[in-house]
Amino acid sequence: MLDEYGLAIAMVVALLLGIFSGYPVAFLLGGLGILFAFIGDIPLPFLGTVSSRIFGGVIENWLLIAIPLFVFMGLMLEKSGVAKNLLLTLQRLFGRVRGGLAISVALLGIVMAASTGIIGASVVMLGLLALPVMTRQGYKPEIAYGVVAASGTLGILIPPSIMLVLMGSIMNLSVGDLFKAALFPGLLLGGLYALYLLVIAHLKPDWAPLAEEGGDAHLTEEHSPLVIALLRDLAGPVVLIVAVLGSIMAGIATPTEAAAIGAAGSLVLALGLRQLNWGALRQVCRDTSRTSAMILFVVIGATCFSVVFKRLGGDDMIVDIITGTGLGPYGLLLLLMGLIFILGFFLEWIEISFVVLPLLLPVVEGLEFAGVSSTGLMVWFAILVAINLQTSFLTPPFGYALFYLKGIAQGNVSIGVIYRSIIPFVLLQLTGLILCIVFPSIALWFPGLTD
């Protein structure tokens, strides 16, 4: 194994060492690809195919234009103040339920996930809005920080998810099918969060007191009838969600065209709420450029790394190792899910998607599972990977949602408390993953890809 795949193994080891050194991942991936191309004595003309792959598969990929548009939509919605108004109304709706504010945060996470899909913005926004109020009401940090982090990461799964757009490009799958398949698993996770909060509030009332017990009834004063306020605050996000997702799922627009609709709609919504000004627009454009450039550079570096890694026999090595275990289809699937879960502790979802996922596809393509058609197999696998990768935002040491929370933490909350707060929600995410494995129709019924 070492003689045959020595350079491929060395590439993996060098990548891990580089990541732990803190070197920028985009440059690390691209640099290792070029370095090992020379070490492996790969002919120079082959490096020309790397640049062709980058331009043909990344730079000229029309589908990837949806990424900056979806990022712009999410950031503009965050600036518009929609979330604050909706959280107030949801808190009024669940005000008489113990743990009602935490449940409101979970529901708001679902709505904003379907509107934005930007994890950093969602976690920070939910944290800034909800954490001060939850602290004043006497919520335990283990509940408050956990629900904010978990709810904020729903946007990586619930469409319009940037991850699913990239997966569609990597796996040559319909983004519309992926969006349809991810909808119910995303709602399932949100429902599991809300159910857990209800149960824990019942079992440990001091962890999630009622608003009156905490001495803070509402975020702000609100005199509108509850039904009218709920319809008013939901109208904008729902119309935008229907316009974007509905046009994709109905086949009326491509993901890129729908993303453009969403970007324009977010501008109109911000204008209607009187939150659109030159300063906000400039900041959103700047943040959109920064986020899109980061993703693009990682994609370029990952493309270079993966092409050279495959040339050195890395894909054959992965297939030999995994198939050599002698496990059946479900055993192999659990092995792959366990591998991705562990990698999520150390790698970002972008690296896993562009470096690891293509190496696993040949293993999965030949497997058969009950209730999964041949046409639905890869869509189902993509959704399982997406659910799995959502945990990477919550697992230390490199869970970005944890860093965002620490940055906005109230008082002297330690990183240890934040780590403890996400444990139940990671377990809930793994529960959702297992349910989608056991019952594939959760993901495949809506796109109609079941047997």
Side-chain angles (χ1 to χ4, degrees):
M1 176 72 73
L2 288 176
D3 293 337
E4 186 178 0
Y5 301 123
L7 285 177
I9 295 173
M11 280 192 78
V12 175
V13 173
L15 176 62
L16 293 177
L17 291 176
I19 289 172
F20 282 110
S21 72
Y23 199 79
V25 174
F27 298 108
L28 179 65
L29 289 167
L32 287 176
I34 295 173
L35 176 62
F36 276 86
F38 285 104
I39 294 176
D41 199 23
I42 296 176
L44 285 177
F46 178 79
L47 293 179
T49 66
V50 175
S51 61
S52 298
R53 181 76 65 86
I54 291 173
F55 276 92
V58 181
I59 305 299
E60 297 177 356
N61 190 337
W62 174 257
L63 178 61
L64 297 185
I65 298 177
I67 292 175
L69 292 171
F70 278 136
V71 171
F72 180 90
M73 180 181 78
L75 293 174
M76 182 55 69
L77 282 176
E78 186 263 333
K79 291 287 186 183
S80 70
V82 170
K84 181 178 180 180
N85 297 333
L86 187 54
L87 180 60
L88 165 64
T89 305
L90 288 173
Q91 188 199 17
R92 292 178 62 203
L93 181 64
F94 292 98
R96 301 303 303 167
V97 178
R98 187 171 294 277
L101 179 55
I103 296 172
S104 300
V105 171
L107 296 179
L108 179 61
I110 295 175
V111 175
M112 297 313 295
S115 306
T116 65
I118 311 300
I119 301 304
S122 296
V123 172
V124 171
M125 174 181 60
L126 289 175
L128 291 176
L129 289 177
L131 285 178
V133 185
M134 297 175 84
T135 301
R136 289 197 299 270
Q137 288 189 10
Y139 276 76
K140 284 283 186 180
E142 286 80 359
I143 289 290
Y145 286 86
V147 69
V148 167
S151 302
T153 60
L154 284 173
I156 205 65
L157 177 62
I158 295 178
S161 161
I162 294 174
M163 178 193 291
L164 295 180
V165 174
L166 290 175
M167 281 187 173
S169 175
I170 296 168
M171 302 174 68
N172 196 26
L173 297 173
S174 165
V175 174
D177 284 344
L178 290 177
F179 279 7
K180 292 177 185 178
L183 185 59
F184 286 123
L187 295 177
L188 172 65
L189 289 183
L192 288 175
Y193 296 165
L195 180 61
Y196 164 74
L197 293 169
L198 281 172
V199 172
I200 200 68
H202 176 73
L203 296 178
K204 298 182 177 181
D206 58 317
W207 281 38
L210 290 169
E212 288 78 359
E213 295 174 358
D216 189 4
H218 299 297
L219 293 168
T220 60
E221 289 297 325
E222 175 65 71
H223 302 291
S224 302
L226 181 56
V227 175
I228 295 176
L230 186 62
L231 292 175
R232 179 197 64 204
D233 296 330
L234 275 175
V238 167
V239 170
L240 197 61
I241 292 168
V242 171
V244 174
L245 299 185
S247 61
I248 295 175
M249 295 178 181
I252 299 174
T254 67
T256 303
E257 294 166 344
I261 294 173
S266 65
L267 280 171
V268 173
L269 189 58
L271 181 62
L273 293 172
R274 299 182 180 180
Q275 298 297 318
L276 183 61
N277 54 63
W278 175 246
L281 182 60
R282 181 175 57 184
Q283 185 63 44
V284 168
C285 289
R286 181 179 299 169
D287 291 344
T288 299
S289 300
R290 184 183 297 112
T291 301
S292 302
M294 181 272 293
I295 294 174
L296 184 61
F297 269 100
V298 172
V299 171
I300 291 173
T303 301
C304 180
F305 182 92
S306 61
V307 169
V308 175
F309 186 70
K310 289 182 179 181
R311 177 61 184 255
L312 296 176
D315 53 347
D316 294 330
M317 178 184 70
I318 298 296
V319 172
D320 289 347
I321 292 174
I322 294 176
T323 57
T325 60
L327 298 172
Y330 284 98
L332 284 175
L333 181 62
L334 291 176
L335 176 63
L336 298 182
M337 290 296 109
L339 174 64
I340 292 172
F341 178 72
I342 293 172
L343 289 175
F345 281 76
F346 310 106
L347 300 178
E348 290 188 68
W349 65 268
I350 304 178
E351 292 98 76
I352 295 176
S353 297
F354 274 88
V355 177
V356 180
L357 185 57
L359 300 175
L360 303 181
L361 296 183
V363 179
V364 179
E365 287 173 346
L367 302 180
E368 295 182 0
F369 298 90
V372 182
S373 66
S374 57
T375 56
L377 174 61
M378 301 313 293
V379 172
W380 178 57
F381 180 68
I383 298 305
L384 296 181
V385 172
I387 298 172
N388 202 336
L389 288 181
Q390 188 181 343
T391 63
S392 68
F393 286 90
L394 301 177
T395 49
F398 299 129
Y400 279 90
L402 308 180
F403 297 146
Y404 297 140
L405 278 182
K406 179 57 179 173
I408 60 173
Q410 299 291 312
N412 296 318
V413 176
S414 67
I415 192 66
V417 171
I418 295 176
Y419 282 170
R420 290 196 299 272
S421 73
I422 56 90
I423 292 175
F425 294 93
V426 170
L427 295 177
L428 289 173
Q429 290 177 348
L430 294 178
T431 300
L433 176 62
I434 292 172
L435 288 174
C436 289
I437 291 175
V438 176
F439 304 105
S441 57
I442 295 175
L444 298 180
W445 175 79
F446 190 26
L449 298 175
T450 56
D451 282 336

